[in-house]
């Protein structure tokens, strides 16, 4: 069953009492979240405005700290502000019995798919080389030697076949790309070539010209884009990461690019964010960087889902879109 379809019973107890809801967020648009959640009937409050921490049963936010969570002994559910829940899945962070609620939004998936399509085309059509030619005022038709790499010739491999991966695969396949996907566990019913499990990972990578990582971050997937995995790629392959920075060994990627094995990378996520100014990734001519913007949360859709689960918690009804703690997402 998909996480979108999952519904879990509210932790033991009758109906929840209405009270303040913690909003834990330092994003640029945090006031927009506050205003829209308030308008949707969720009585959010900033940490400095909480009157009684022990009464809080529902919290909304991102990157909760152990110190904040320890203040809420009555907490029953945490609603993530984004599709990813790895920020709440760190071992020992979330008390037992507290549910973690995801955002599942087709518009976020569409945004991700569009960003992935751009990244694939950017690498496929050597747009960075054209940008360098423009900066040098060179009219250079030798970049592609008048023979573009056509869509059907490009073998795109997507790591991760959840909501985001499926949307990206569908868009690329509709444009004629040769798309395959790899997932941690077997997936049925797909119309693309599927690989599953660690035993098939090398075969998947070896058939891939452009590797796209959209995996959830779990203990099993952290560091999966390693020096060894990069060595399995065909020479001249491209790497795209829009999942989490901790999937990728950044030093290994730069070494593979400098050795000529990997031709380039498009990166939206990094082990440390914001990316430090002294990171060698910034100035590398074969690395394109975007600042974790591939799939921005759509606030109205997310607010509707958060408010829906708040009302279900108050009514003692099963919560929706509950993350699987054992799987890590």
């Amino acid at each position: 069953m998909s996480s979108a379809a999952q519904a879990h019973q509210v932790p033991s107890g009758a109906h929840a009492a209405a009270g303040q809801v913690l909003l834990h967020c330092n994003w640029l648009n945090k006031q927009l979240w506050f205003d829209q959640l308030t308008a949707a009937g969720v009585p959010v409050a900033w940490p400095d405005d909480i009157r009684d921490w022990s009464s809080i049963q529902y919290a909304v936010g991102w990157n909760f700290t152990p110190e904040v969570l320890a203040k809420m002994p009555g907490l029953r559910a945490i609603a993530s502000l984004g599709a990813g829940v790895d920020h709440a899945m760190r071992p020992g962070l979330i008390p037992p019995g507290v549910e973690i609620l995801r955002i599942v939004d087709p518009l976020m998936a569409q945004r991700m798919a569009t960003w992935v399509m751009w990244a694939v085309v950017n690498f496929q059509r050597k747009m960075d080389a054209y940008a360098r030619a423009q900066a040098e005022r060179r009219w250079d038709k030798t970049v592609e030697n008048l023979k573009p790499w056509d869509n059907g010739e490009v073998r795109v491999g997507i790591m991760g076949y959840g909501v985001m991966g499926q949307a990206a695969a569908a868009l690329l396949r509709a444009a004629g790309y040769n798309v395959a996907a790899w997932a941690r566990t077997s997936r049925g019913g797909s119309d693309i070539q599927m690989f599953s499990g660690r035993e098939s990972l090398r075969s998947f990578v070896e058939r891939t010209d452009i590797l796209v990582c959209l995996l959830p971050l779990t203990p099993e997937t952290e560091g999966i884009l390693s020096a060894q995995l990069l060595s399995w790629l065909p020479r001249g392959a491209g790497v795209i990461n829009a999942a989490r920075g901790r999937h990728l060994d950044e030093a290994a990627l730069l070494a593979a690019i400098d050795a000529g094995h990997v031709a380039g990378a498009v990166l939206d996520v990094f082990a440390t964010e914001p990316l430090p100014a002294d990171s060698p990734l910034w100035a590398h001519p074969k690395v394109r960087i975007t600042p974790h913007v591939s799939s921005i949360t759509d606030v109205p859709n997310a607010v509707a889902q958060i408010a829906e689960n708040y009302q279900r918690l108050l009514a003692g009804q099963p919560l929706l879109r509950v993350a699987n703690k054992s799987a890590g997402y």
Side-chain angles (χ1 to χ4, degrees), residues 62-101:
W62 193 263
N63 275 345
F64 288 89
T65 65
E67 293 76 17
V68 168
L69 293 171
K71 296 180 180 181
M72 300 181 286
L75 187 64
R76 297 166 74 173
I78 289 174
S80 175
L81 290 179
V85 292
D86 52 279
H87 62 95
M89 288 290 189
R90 299 192 300 276
L93 177 65
I94 304 300
V98 177
E99 301 287 14
I100 302 170
L101 311 177

Side-chain angles (χ1 to χ4, degrees), residues 80 85 94 210 215 231 241 294 300 314:
S80 175
V85 292
I94 304 300
I210 302 178
L215 287 164
S231 75
N241 188 17
S294 55
L314 292 181

Side-chain angles (χ1 to χ4, degrees), residues 77 102 134 155 223 226 234 260 302:
R102 301 174 58 219
Q134 179 179 350
R155 299 172 299 174
S226 63

Side-chain angles (χ1 to χ4, degrees), residues 266-282:
V266 182
L267 306 177
D268 185 57
V269 291
F270 305 89
T272 300
E273 294 184 5
L275 184 64
D278 61 356
S279 170
L281 293 168
W282 282 115

Side-chain angles (χ1 to χ4, degrees), residues 33 37 80-82 103-105 108 297-308 321:
W33 281 99
L37 284 164
S80 175
L81 290 179
I103 299 298
V104 179
D105 181 9
M108 289 180 69
T297 304
D298 182 68
V299 177
N301 284 339
V303 164
Q305 293 182 32
I306 292 168
E308 177 186 28
R321 299 169 293 275

Side-chain angles (χ1 to χ4, degrees), residues 112-122 168 171-175 177:
M112 177 63 81
T114 303
W115 185 93
V116 169
M117 172 74 89
W118 161 79
V120 167
V121 173
N122 183 78
L171 185 61
L172 289 163
R173 193 168 185 273
Y177 289 92

